[in-house]
Amino acid sequence: MDSPVSIVSYGKNAARANGLAKNRILQIEDLISVTKNGSDVFRLNSAESFPVKIHGETLQLFWFARDVYKKTSGALNPAIFPVVRAWGFTTGKYRVPSDEEISALLKKTDFSKVTLAGVTSAPVPFVASLSMQTGMMLDFGSLGKGFACDEAVRILKKSGITSALLDLGGNIYVLGKKIDGSDWKVGIKNPLGEGVALSLKVHDSAVVTSGCYERFFEEGGKRYGHIFDGKTGRPVENELASVTVVCESGLYADALSTALFVKGSAAAIEFWQAHKDFGLALIFKDGSKWLSPGLPLLSELSVER
Ligand code: ADP
Ligand code: MG
């Protein structure tokens, strides 16, 4: 997943359960990685003809992503990859593409053009196949960690674990409560500087933050982050420094934190008001915050540059 992962579980089955959860995460990575030769996503992105067969997990992720894509009016767009790649975020060879290059690439980013071509009967393990236009590329980087997180939690629970803390590259999940019976304390980083901006007391929750304070490059005194606006083909530039989503599903939290960062604060708050099935913490570039009512706040610190 291109990021460190840690799982801390409590109870007598912990070591075995962690091993199983780790294997499941690696399995998912093998299916959805954009860079791993042979993954479903790699085969789709390099295909010369369609449809391309995919596994059940990839289908699940595709369906979920399509749902959030629609719900967020395209703010979450797993087909934005050709643009992300052109800016150098896959290789670290960063560059600012020309307007012409961006407009040409944007034509290849219509996620609604990715279609389920059929459900295959045999041979297992492929369960379905997807079609898209040549030149289109998918990337589940905005929600894959959330999916892997939920799968790891499912495996831990099945192995009898009732208390655990998972960290998948900053996507936090707390399973159950701490072994002393109290809630977990989860800190949200100050996106403008050092330390923690907020801390929450939570149990059985994902806490996922998106922002552009960790993965970005600078050119000509300007900062370009790794989350893109599918309408412009450019890194998101708005008043937000970070967006944190808290809910029971790691997948939903991961997908939404990215999408609401793209949407900006007004639309993010509107989305929260329309759904209210998650907790939301917005931290603005000027250091102010907007917290959804009911967010399980433990403490709030002032954030400064
Ligand atoms: P992180 O990987 O830092 O936890 P996110 O979950 O917010 O961050 O996902 C960001 C990644 O998703 C980017 O690195 C890029 O590959 C991809 N991406 C960028 N913009 C979008 C977008 N608008 N919709 C979907 N995926 C995106
Ligand atoms: Mg995300």
Side-chain angles (χ1 to χ4, degrees):
M1 308 258 158
D2 198 21
S3 42
V5 169
S6 85
I7 306 175
V8 180
S9 300
Y10 297 90
K12 62 176 180 344
N13 252 337
R16 190 170 167 272
N18 282 357
L20 295 172
K22 175 186 165 183
N23 287 344
R24 182 66 180 139
I25 292 170
L26 294 175
Q27 226 176 21
I28 291 167
E29 180 168 34
D30 282 344
L31 291 177
I32 64 166
S33 162
V34 269
T35 49
K36 265 199 178 157
N37 203 331
S39 81
D40 283 2
V41 171
F42 188 93
R43 287 186 303 104
L44 272 163
N45 291 353
S46 53
E48 278 164 13
S49 65
F50 296 94
V52 168
K53 285 182 181 172
I54 57 164
H55 294 78
E57 291 89 337
T58 312
L59 178 63
Q60 234 180 304
L61 209 47
F62 167 70
W63 267 332
F64 190 87
R66 198 171 59 172
D67 189 41
V68 179
Y69 171 78
K70 286 183 189 155
K71 242 175 150 163
T72 61
S73 316
L76 184 88
N77 181 4
I80 191 77
F81 192 65
V83 170
V84 176
R85 195 171 68 143
W87 285 75
F89 279 96
T90 49
T91 55
K93 289 185 187 128
Y94 300 116
R95 56 190 276 273
V96 179
S98 69
D99 290 349
E100 293 73 36
E101 188 180 349
I102 292 173
S103 341
L105 287 171
L106 279 176
K107 297 198 174 83
K108 301 284 185 188
T109 61
D110 184 350
F111 188 50
S112 67
K113 293 223 169 90
V114 185
T115 54
L116 184 63
V119 175
T120 64
S121 47
V124 179
F126 294 114
V127 301
S129 51
L130 290 183
S131 285
M132 58 191 194
Q133 290 175 341
T134 318
M136 287 186 76
M137 296 181 114
L138 296 186
D139 158 32
F140 292 123
S142 60
L143 73 176
K145 280 188 280 190
F147 180 64
C149 172
D150 288 349
E151 280 299 296
V153 168
R154 188 175 64 77
I155 301 280
L156 292 178
K157 282 183 177 167
K158 213 169 93 180
S159 310
I161 301 298
T162 53
S163 175
L165 171 65
L166 296 87
D167 179 350
L168 277 79
N171 283 35
I172 303 295
Y173 198 99
V174 291
L175 165 59
K177 295 194 172 197
K178 294 202 288 187
I179 37 173
D180 67 3
S182 63
D183 280 335
W184 300 91
K185 180 178 163 185
V186 176
I188 298 168
K189 269 189 200 165
N190 170 7
L192 305 172
E194 297 296 304
V196 163
L198 288 172
S199 64
L200 305 176
K201 47 181 197 303
V202 279
H203 60 87
D204 300 293
S205 277
V207 180
V208 180
T209 301
S210 280
C212 282
Y213 53 95
E214 268 167 355
R215 290 183 57 203
F216 62 86
F217 74 96
E218 276 170 336
E219 198 178 293
K222 233 179 122 128
R223 182 180 280 204
Y224 299 100
H226 71 305
I227 300 177
F228 281 73
D229 184 338
K231 293 196 177 75
T232 62
R234 297 177 163 277
V236 168
E237 228 182 298
N238 60 28
E239 63 295 337
L240 291 171
S242 74
V243 172
T244 300
V245 172
V246 184
C247 66
E248 235 178 284
S249 157
L251 177 54
Y252 192 48
D254 196 3
L256 270 196
S257 63
T258 307
L260 298 183
F261 185 78
V262 175
K263 274 179 161 296
S265 58
I269 293 168
E270 216 171 90
F271 187 93
W272 180 83
Q273 277 159 345
H275 295 87
K276 292 191 184 168
D277 53 356
F278 61 96
L280 180 64
L282 307 178
I283 303 180
F284 292 78
K285 284 176 180 160
D286 68 4
S288 61
K289 305 186 193 87
W290 184 89
L291 309 178
S292 62
L295 198 71
L297 204 60
L298 186 65
S299 62
E300 187 180 346
L301 296 114
S302 72
V303 292
E304 281 162 26
R305 266 173 198 281

